[in-house]
Amino acid sequence: PMDLRPLDAPLRPQALALNAGVEAWTSPLDADALDRLLGVASFAEAAVEDGRLLGFLVGMTEGSAYWGRNFLWLRERLPRMAYVDRVIVAPEARGRGLAAALYARFAAASGGRPLACEVATDPPNPGSEAFHARLGFTELGRAEPWPGHPAVFLLRAQRP
């Protein structure tokens, strides 16, 4: 059975491995960068089955001391928000509703704040675009790439 729980230290090497598989759409992370990210996150949960990390979500609220350019752009437009920095699901676990479950938990933990995130446009990520459209996300704007980061759609949804 799958367990949703905090993204704690024993799971972090697996989180780094999952991130490495999708960093063209997210951004590269090493152990130090992940620790810094989790240090400012208001939410970091993992989907785990038999000790294996199937997916995770890291998010912040508008008051987080996060430095990400897309977060700052969204915060200017959404003074109250719950920002998804990254949600990653292992390829073999996709289609099981894990990302939607993680989004729902983050939304609940964030006190009804609108959800915000970005989805890569270059390189394109049609699976993520379709997932976010199903959850009711709409485009607020676009951001051009900068070193180590893809071009993205910036999205918002009232509730997943």
Side-chain angles (χ1 to χ4, degrees), residues 2 9 41 44 67 80 91 126 131 133 142 144 158:
M2 184 187 64
W67 55 89
R80 189 168 183 270
F131 167 77
R142 296 180 184 217
E144 295 301 316
Q158 186 58 41

Side-chain angles (χ1 to χ4, degrees), residues 5 16-17 46 49 60 74 82 91 96 139 151:
R5 65 181 199 214
L16 290 171
E49 189 172 69
M60 291 80 174
L74 286 161
R96 293 177 52 184
E139 183 179 337

Side-chain angles (χ1 to χ4, degrees), residues 21-152:
V22 297
E23 66 184 28
W25 297 288
T26 58
S27 61
L29 279 179
D30 60 20
D32 289 339
L34 179 58
D35 286 346
R36 282 192 309 277
L37 184 65
L38 295 175
V40 297
S42 56
F43 184 90
E45 282 207 7
V48 180
E49 189 172 69
D50 298 324
R52 199 171 108 252
L53 180 64
L54 299 179
F56 67 95
L57 186 149
V58 177
M60 291 80 174
T61 57
E62 71 282 344
S64 297
Y66 185 47
W67 55 89
R69 187 168 93 173
N70 295 332
F71 170 80
L72 296 173
W73 187 94
L74 286 161
R75 190 173 70 185
E76 286 177 10
R77 287 147 184 88
L78 301 170
R80 189 168 183 270
M81 71 166 179
Y83 170 77
V84 176
D85 180 76
R86 67 194 65 223
V87 60
I88 301 172
V89 175
E92 66 276 10
R94 292 181 186 148
R96 293 177 52 184
L98 300 180
L102 289 165
Y103 266 73
R105 287 180 59 106
F106 182 37
S110 299
R113 287 173 168 84
L115 293 178
C117 67
E118 67 261 1
V119 173
T121 60
D122 184 21
N125 192 343
S128 184
E129 285 183 49
F131 167 77
H132 287 92
R134 283 192 307 274
L135 291 184
F137 279 81
T138 57
E139 183 179 337
L140 286 176
R142 296 180 184 217
E144 295 301 316
W146 70 97
H149 298 273
V152 297

